[in-house]
Amino acid sequence: MGFHPIDLLIIILFGLALFGPRALQSVARNLGRGVGQARVVKDKIKEELQVEELTQLSEDIPRLPLNTREAARLLLTEQQEKRAAEGAAADRSGEKKSEQALRDSPATSA
């Protein structure tokens, strides 16, 4: 949405009339310094963050729910996936036990 140039000109003229040219100049200078310092801090933070962490964060962002309905759906699907994984693990352990029982049972010869 931004400012239209005429809006910006009106704000500058109003500030000039209210504070005077020297006060407005010092406010602008201090504002510029603050913006410059914010950029330096932002660059330092970007350098310190690791790329893998940023990649992981960006992968997790779409999974964040935006409302309660999405949160409930997300929780339900995670629970279903967890149950399915547990069921598959139980099936595999059952198969291993049955194979072990077949190996341990005495073979009958005919």
Side-chain angles (χ1 to χ4, degrees):
M1 187 166 147
F3 285 107
H4 193 271
I6 293 176
D7 296 336
L8 202 55
L9 182 64
I10 291 172
I11 291 171
I12 291 171
L13 290 175
F14 182 73
L16 187 61
L18 189 64
F19 297 112
R22 293 192 185 216
L24 193 60
Q25 183 182 12
S26 88
V27 167
R29 185 180 307 119
N30 290 333
L31 185 63
R33 286 180 187 161
V35 169
Q37 289 175 352
R39 285 183 183 160
V40 168
V41 170
K42 179 191 72 160
D43 291 340
K44 284 182 182 179
I45 290 173
K46 278 187 174 182
E47 288 175 4
E48 290 176 5
L49 287 178
Q50 301 212 359
V51 175
E52 294 114 19
E53 292 175 9
L54 291 175
T55 303
Q56 181 65 31
L57 287 174
S58 67
E59 290 173 0
D60 290 341
I61 287 174
R63 295 196 57 150
L64 295 176
L66 299 177
N67 57 38
T68 54
R69 184 174 288 164
E70 288 181 18
R73 182 184 50 78
L74 183 63
L75 286 173
L76 290 174
T77 55
E78 285 179 358
Q79 288 176 353
Q80 290 171 350
E81 290 172 358
K82 184 177 177 183
R83 287 183 190 146
E86 288 174 353
D91 289 344
R92 282 182 286 209
S93 67
E95 290 173 3
K96 288 180 182 178
K97 286 179 183 177
S98 63
E99 289 175 4
Q100 185 68 27
L102 285 175
R103 280 187 239 142
D104 292 344
S105 66
T108 57
S109 55

